[in-house]
Amino acid sequence: MLRRFALLAVYSNLTKIKCSAPIHQHAWLATRHNPPSPRSLTNRLLSTSSVVMKDSQTTEQHDAVRRLLPDLLTPTEGGKWSPGRSLLMAEAHIRQFCSHYSNLDDTAKAKFLLALSQLCGVHHESVYKAFKNMESAQEKEEATLLQSEQRLAQMLTPGYKTLFANIGRLEGGIKFLVDMRADLRTFLHHHQQSLTSEAHLRALRETLKDMLAHWFSAGLLQLQTITWQSSCEMLQKISEYEAVHPVRGWADLKRRVGLYRRCFVYTHSSMPQEPVIILHAALTDRIPSSIKSIVGETRDHNPSKTPLALEEQEDPERITAAIFYSLSSTQMGLRGVDLGNHLIKHAVRKLQAEFPKLEMFSSLSPIPGFRSWLLAEIGRHPKGKNGAILFTSGELGDIQSLAGRSDESEMMTVRRLLSTNQWAQSEKLVDLLEQPLMRLCARYLYAEKHRGFALDSVANFHLGNGAVMWRLNWMGDLTPRGLTQSCGMMVNYRYYLDSTQHNSQAYTVEQKVSTTEQVLGLVEESRLLEQKSRL
């Protein structure tokens, strides 16, 4: 009965849209970063004007789709997909299709994808007929009704899903589809379409996402631990794909896969030499507050103990904390497929087996959207109107007296300082800005929302995994990237293994954020300041 209601709901939406076809989220973390993509629609798409679909090249790509897919498209249906055709396609036709697409330029690829989505999408007339048959079958015996439901489900399956299933059987076929979805994501992101065209392309993208999510489910991925003895090819890719804290050379890479460090990757049998997602972890005796202690040339250590970095071999007795400091998705076409959560859980199990005294698991994470958000907030009241929502009058006065100009307001002084990284070179400014920026960053992470969930993509990822927003760290990342993204701040999301499932459910169902007194105290300061400014 539930299945029947679901089918009816799908059909109801379909009839409302008529010739359109109807996305969801992060997750990834990889949204937060931009790893290199070998086959994306890059500079040319960015530099060209909006693509006009009704031209000779569009017609050419429609004709190409019809020519390349004789097993799918029916001449009597105007060269469109007709359900009921064979699910098997000639391998020669599939290879010819892939070869044709690979040889197209970026603009032609975009038009080819639109043609594919239009000609091989859901066949609406067949859906309507199947729905009518199911309606009439409701008064018949259950076996007849179940057959009608199955028929309707078949009619709701687009033709390109059959095509993708056949491509997936080829050697290199799954990687081809990953790259195709990357092309499609880039095209949709950079170009506006008519509502109908965009609906067709989004339906194509989501079908690909669902199929790739199945092919790249955790049970079909292989966990590898990368060491300095791994292949040069793999080490080179680890270096190139690092999107959070760029690798500075071979010596830096050697440290990141050496003593008291672990590098985990997921690979897939269809692309065994290609890391799908990469997780870096540091093995320490506490939860650090600065990334310099992990990826710097020297590492933080307890002065009362021998520095871990100087030991010639690991001492398992010293390792009580695992710090996940970098998670990089390497394939744009797998954005939105939940891989990071599974990789962290898999890595935790592997580390627990290796180090019996390991009891603390935490991230040391960037806050990539904070400075952009703050500058936008300041821009909403450049002359200081309502500026008290963000800063106290005392804070603004101290900053203005130290770094202000006669021709600018207090808020414009703050905006000018934060728009560059030079303020971090002044000890006085660093001290003056610490409390207001920590307060505002806590508000950004904890209280600023997108559809009820954390606005910050990294926060949304870890909170969705069941982590606790544990500690906000002032001057945790003094690199140019860290200062530009988050005014130098970092945050620890701590994983308490006995409560991750409960925390994850509370966040995903109730949008409840698990956090600590430090963060809540800063958020309360921000709330009281905003409340006071409105009196």
Side-chain angles (χ1 to χ4, degrees), residues 53-71:
M53 288 298 173
K54 295 182 179 179
D55 59 18
S56 59
Q57 195 177 44
T58 299
T59 302
E60 178 185 339
Q61 296 309 323
H62 274 74
D63 292 341
V65 171
R66 294 188 180 100
R67 184 183 72 255
L68 292 165
L69 300 177
D71 300 321

Side-chain angles (χ1 to χ4, degrees), residues 14 24 56 72 93 118 128 255 353 379 381 429-430 474 485:
L14 181 65
H24 183 81
S56 59
L72 279 183
H93 292 162
Q118 292 171 333
Y128 181 75
R255 283 193 296 271
H381 20 69
L429 280 175
V430 168
W474 177 246
Q485 288 186 338

